[in-house]
Amino acid sequence: MRAACAHLPAHSLVDWPVDFSAAPAVVAPRLIGVTLLVNGAGGVIVEAEAYDGDDPASHGYGGPTARNAAMFGPPGRAYVYRSYGVHWCLNFVCRQTGQGAGVLIRALEPTHGIAFMQARRGTEDERLLCSGPGRLGQALGVTHALNGMALDAPPFALIVPRQSVPARAIARGPRIGISRAAERPWRFGLKDSAFLSRKF
């Protein structure tokens, strides 16, 4: 399948509000409202989860391996892994090199390349295109080929809004589908968004 858009919109990876050298629990809420595109398809990030190096739920908790090496930096790159042998999941690497921290992108509100995402997902329901990390990965055409790639260069584009989403509009709660460190409130999302993977 060809790229969803031949000419990507102008994009920037900037210190504010997206400083990937910061802790993931700081980065994740700042990503809410940022538009993420992969080869021109994507939308506004409405849900993300933080995973830190000392976090028992993090892939980086036990140290670097061949599978999770990209998660150890440098920051501002993609860490892609396969969940349950089926779904490719997209993470943004955070903190300094060697820390093993990142943010899982859980849901987008589709805005660009919608027809391409519908074809990939096999549904026309926009609410089901990117609501959940597996659906999101499929809709955006994420594969392991993106692992370790810089987020400030094609095929990625991050479009920072003119104004960040106010803190009062961001919900916070426990992460989904984990058994360790489940008490940490490191899931962040846009309140009342119809495109969340699960309500807060």
Side-chain angles (χ1 to χ4, degrees):
M1 183 177 291
R2 65 181 175 84
C5 181
H7 302 286
L8 293 178
H11 65 282
S12 60
L13 184 64
V14 297
D15 288 342
W16 185 91
V18 190
D19 175 11
F20 287 109
S21 67
V26 173
V27 174
R30 292 181 179 176
L31 287 170
I32 304 302
V34 172
T35 296
L36 162 65
L37 305 180
V38 180
N39 282 321
V44 178
I45 298 172
V46 296
E47 185 181 352
E49 287 180 344
Y51 291 87
D52 216 336
D54 64 350
D55 175 8
S58 172
H59 285 188
Y61 183 66
T65 65
R67 180 174 182 259
N68 69 12
M71 194 176 187
F72 287 81
R77 293 183 180 261
Y79 166 51
V80 177
Y81 68 88
R82 204 164 206 170
S83 177
Y84 302 108
V86 179
H87 304 294
W88 292 107
C89 298
L90 177 62
N91 302 258
F92 293 171
V93 179
C94 301
R95 290 198 181 274
Q96 297 301 319
T97 299
Q99 298 298 307
V103 172
L104 172 65
I105 308 303
R106 285 199 57 91
L108 303 178
E109 178 178 344
T111 58
H112 293 67
I114 291 175
F116 287 86
M117 293 191 288
Q118 289 171 330
R120 288 169 178 152
R121 288 278 300 120
T123 180
E124 295 186 355
D125 189 340
E126 294 185 14
R127 293 175 299 175
L128 298 179
L129 294 181
C130 302
S131 58
R135 290 171 175 172
L136 185 153
Q138 184 180 26
L140 270 58
V142 172
T143 69
H144 196 256
L146 299 178
N147 191 48
M149 295 187 68
L151 298 171
D152 62 348
F156 291 104
L158 291 177
I159 305 170
V160 179
R162 292 179 181 271
Q163 293 184 333
S164 62
V165 175
R168 65 180 179 276
I170 298 176
R172 180 172 184 167
R175 295 169 293 184
I176 294 173
I178 60 172
S179 58
R180 294 184 293 178
E183 74 284 354
R184 298 190 185 190
W186 282 1
R187 175 179 171 236
F188 302 87
L190 186 63
K191 286 182 179 178
D192 302 322
S193 171
F195 299 91
L196 296 171
S197 67
R198 185 183 299 177
K199 291 183 179 180
F200 280 84

